[in-house]
Amino acid sequence: MSDEHHTWKIGSEPPIIRPHSLAKHRVLRAYLERYVATLTKNPRQDVFRLTLVDGFAGGGKYTDSRSGDERPGSPIIMLEAMERAAEIAQQTRSKPFNLDVNYIYIEKNPEALEHLRAVLNASKYAGLLGNQIRLLDGEFVALAPNIIKLVKGRGRAGRVIFVLDQCGYTDVPFPTLRSILHTLPNAEVILTFATDFLIDYLSEHAQTQRTAEKVGLSMPPSLIRTAKEARNWRRIIQFSLHEQIPHQTGAKFYTPFFIRSADSHRDFWLIHLSGHYRARDVMVGLHWEQSTDFAHYGRSGLNMLGYDERRDVNLTSQKMLPGFYFDDTAFASSHDALLDQLPEKLYDLSDGMPFGELFSALTNECPVTAEIMKNVLGDLSKEGIVEVRDKTATTTRRVGVQHDTDIIIPSRQKRLFLP
Ligand SMILES: C[S@@+](CC[C@H](N)C(=O)[O-])C[C@H]1O[C@@H](n2cnc3c(N)ncnc32)[C@H](O)[C@@H]1O
């Protein structure tokens, strides 16, 4: 399925990029830079090996209708982000640092692939084509097993990020993601999923069952029937998706962002899947930083992070709708909510739990970073509700959590007064 916004032809003007795609590109660029920065903190490390897979690469270039400027597509954004990440890593090192990245770009439309080749050939990255950059003509799912082998062949760490920007919701079945995440424990996935298209399509007919099965979802007719009887039926289906995605993909950590397109009035989800809580922390931290673009929906239940064109200050010059933004107000309300909720979560942990494990257990539920949670635990410790001790549990930390191994213990006296 491709549309006028994703149709490339050599010699024709590149397609117009829509604001929600620009927002998606901002997240991608920032995440890739942050990912490398996080994993290359140690200045003694002089090489970092990574594979970036763009499974739905497109033609490499767009036109911005507002300025008439050219805008890079995701394959070029990956190259630019890695160039910047290498510069940043070099700043803290005296010896040369080698950011050794292989790029695999897959595109099933031959005209789009040729357009991408031409864009790369005309760019400063032309010399990488055929060496570090491979262009593959075909469908992502069919090529996935070979890509897994290629990544495994590059070394034990198997660091790889799959950017899977499908147009609908059927081209990246969850069993394929499960096999990637299972075989490559350090793999991460950034997946586009056209939630509203799926919801519009759902019916009690047998074809829906076949499609859901292909995607790897369970959408029994009884669920669809019950959901459709409810006033907020879209929400019910979204909630079921929200619960099924980490389960069906086997991802330990999961962050869904919604992206609302003003012109199609349809929500997409940009889903981040990973095997480590720090990866999720980096993604959520990035949203706190880019506080103008993203909003978080719902304090409980379906905890969604999202982008809404109507709230994009770059377009509207003002925040139009009330909501949870990753700003000072959101910071204060998250802090207060956690101050309320954490003691209850900690109540049963009489032996305590290392901070890393605690954050890892709760992180999928809330849009806060490790820093915010440490802050709240610091306050709870000042109030005597919890104790923070070092990993041997012998030294009490008066200043709050210092390391992920520090142990959080609910204090005995205060436990008597908790519900
Ligand atoms: C949304 S566009 C990609 C945009 C690109 N990621 C970017 O941000 O610049 C999706 C692209 O995937 C291609 N495509 C569709 N189905 C595919 C499949 N099964 N495997 C690989 N490519 C596919 C389409 O031809 C289209 O160019």
Side-chain angles (χ1 to χ4, degrees):
M1 180 165 55
S2 73
D3 54 46
E4 59 177 309
H5 299 285
H6 301 109
T7 303
W8 289 270
K9 204 177 174 68
I10 291 180
S12 303
E13 183 90 339
I16 303 281
I17 191 159
R18 289 175 293 178
H20 67 263
S21 297
L22 287 169
K24 191 163 62 179
H25 284 166
R26 281 196 290 272
V27 176
L28 175 64
R29 185 188 293 277
Y31 186 73
L32 294 177
E33 287 180 20
R34 189 63 52 85
Y35 175 93
V36 176
T38 307
L39 291 169
T40 57
K41 271 200 183 119
N42 180 355
R44 275 178 301 196
Q45 182 183 358
D46 53 12
V47 61
F48 182 69
R49 208 160 278 135
L50 172 67
T51 305
L52 294 180
V53 179
D54 196 338
F56 296 75
K61 196 160 60 173
Y62 296 86
T63 307
D64 187 332
S65 63
R66 285 174 298 158
S67 60
D69 293 343
E70 278 180 5
R71 293 290 193 149
S74 52
I76 306 293
I77 288 171
M78 287 179 172
L79 287 155
E80 290 175 350
M82 290 303 106
E83 196 178 350
R84 181 78 192 119
E87 278 165 17
I88 293 170
Q90 190 62 66
Q91 282 165 9
T92 53
R93 291 164 168 84
S94 46
K95 284 201 264 169
F97 175 70
N98 177 13
L99 182 56
D100 179 7
V101 186
N102 277 2
Y103 304 85
I104 301 177
Y105 296 158
I106 301 166
E107 172 55 59
K108 87 165 187 190
N109 181 310
E111 283 188 313
L113 190 69
E114 281 325 298
H115 195 278
L116 174 60
R117 193 186 303 280
V119 169
L120 287 165
N121 265 323
S123 76
K124 60 179 165 179
Y125 307 108
L128 303 183
L129 255 179
N131 305 310
Q132 276 125 292
I133 305 177
R134 283 188 214 197
L135 300 188
L136 301 182
D137 169 5
E139 297 206 358
F140 169 70
V141 168
L143 294 166
N146 276 341
I147 294 169
I148 295 177
K149 273 192 214 137
L150 280 175
V151 175
K152 283 183 96 174
R154 290 202 75 207
R156 260 188 320 129
R159 297 217 177 268
V160 54
I161 301 178
F162 288 82
V163 177
L164 303 176
D165 189 16
Q166 62 181 336
C167 290
Y169 52 88
T170 54
D171 290 331
V172 187
F174 293 144
T176 303
L177 295 178
R178 176 175 273 278
S179 134
I180 290 172
L181 294 170
H182 177 74
T183 326
L184 302 167
N186 283 326
E188 294 188 22
V189 175
I190 300 175
L191 169 74
T192 310
F193 192 91
T195 338
D196 272 347
F197 289 106
L198 170 68
I199 294 174
D200 287 345
Y201 167 78
L202 290 177
S203 77
E204 290 173 50
H205 294 143
Q207 185 55 38
T208 289
Q209 293 311 305
R210 283 194 286 274
T211 306
E213 223 168 86
K214 184 183 163 208
V215 177
L217 281 170
S218 160
M219 285 288 156
S222 56
L223 168 71
I224 297 170
R225 190 165 44 248
T226 322
K228 282 197 170 177
E229 280 162 11
R231 201 167 48 86
N232 56 346
W233 83 277
R234 302 188 81 84
R235 196 94 175 130
I236 294 173
I237 299 293
Q238 283 173 359
F239 194 74
S240 169
L241 270 175
H242 187 60
E243 286 192 321
Q244 286 192 52
I245 290 170
H247 181 67
Q248 302 291 0
T249 59
K252 289 202 188 92
F253 297 94
Y254 156 63
T255 329
F257 302 96
F258 74 81
I259 298 178
R260 181 157 299 157
S261 154
D263 51 3
S264 70
H265 304 290
R266 289 280 178 276
D267 279 3
F268 297 80
W269 286 3
L270 189 66
I271 295 165
H272 178 227
L273 304 169
S274 67
H276 204 282
Y277 70 85
R278 282 213 190 87
R280 186 189 191 268
D281 195 31
V282 168
M283 189 56 114
V284 174
L286 194 148
H287 284 264
W288 281 97
E289 273 181 32
Q290 304 207 347
S291 61
T292 49
D293 283 356
F294 292 89
H296 165 260
Y297 262 41
R299 288 175 62 82
S300 59
L302 187 56
N303 272 329
M304 292 292 295
L305 309 165
Y307 165 83
D308 185 335
E309 273 177 25
R310 293 168 305 161
R311 291 188 171 95
D312 188 337
V313 286
N314 295 326
L315 295 175
T316 61
S317 340
Q318 58 178 318
K319 289 177 182 174
M320 292 167 67
L321 301 172
F324 181 109
Y325 297 92
F326 289 84
D327 55 10
D328 291 347
T329 316
F331 183 91
S333 70
S334 299
H335 193 276
D336 290 352
L338 269 188
L339 266 181
D340 261 7
Q341 292 160 11
L342 260 186
E344 205 180 321
K345 302 255 180 205
L346 295 167
Y347 178 60
D348 288 333
L349 306 174
S350 49
D351 294 336
M353 186 185 253
F355 173 78
E357 267 178 51
L358 177 72
F359 182 69
S360 161
L362 298 178
T363 184
N364 276 344
E365 290 179 34
C366 52
V368 301
T369 58
E371 266 329 292
I372 297 175
M373 199 176 279
K374 282 180 186 170
N375 237 297
V376 170
L377 286 166
D379 285 356
L380 290 175
S381 127
K382 275 185 213 142
E383 288 175 29
I385 292 172
V386 298
E387 265 186 74
V388 181
R389 299 203 194 140
D390 74 341
K391 66 177 172 194
T392 63
T394 50
T395 309
T396 301
R397 296 216 191 269
R398 306 256 166 252
V399 286
V401 183
Q402 309 274 283
H403 300 287
D404 283 5
T405 48
D406 284 355
I407 298 172
I408 316 299
I409 307 168
S411 74
R412 282 179 215 289
Q413 302 90 312
K414 296 281 172 166
R415 232 182 301 155
L416 295 174
F417 303 107
L418 282 169

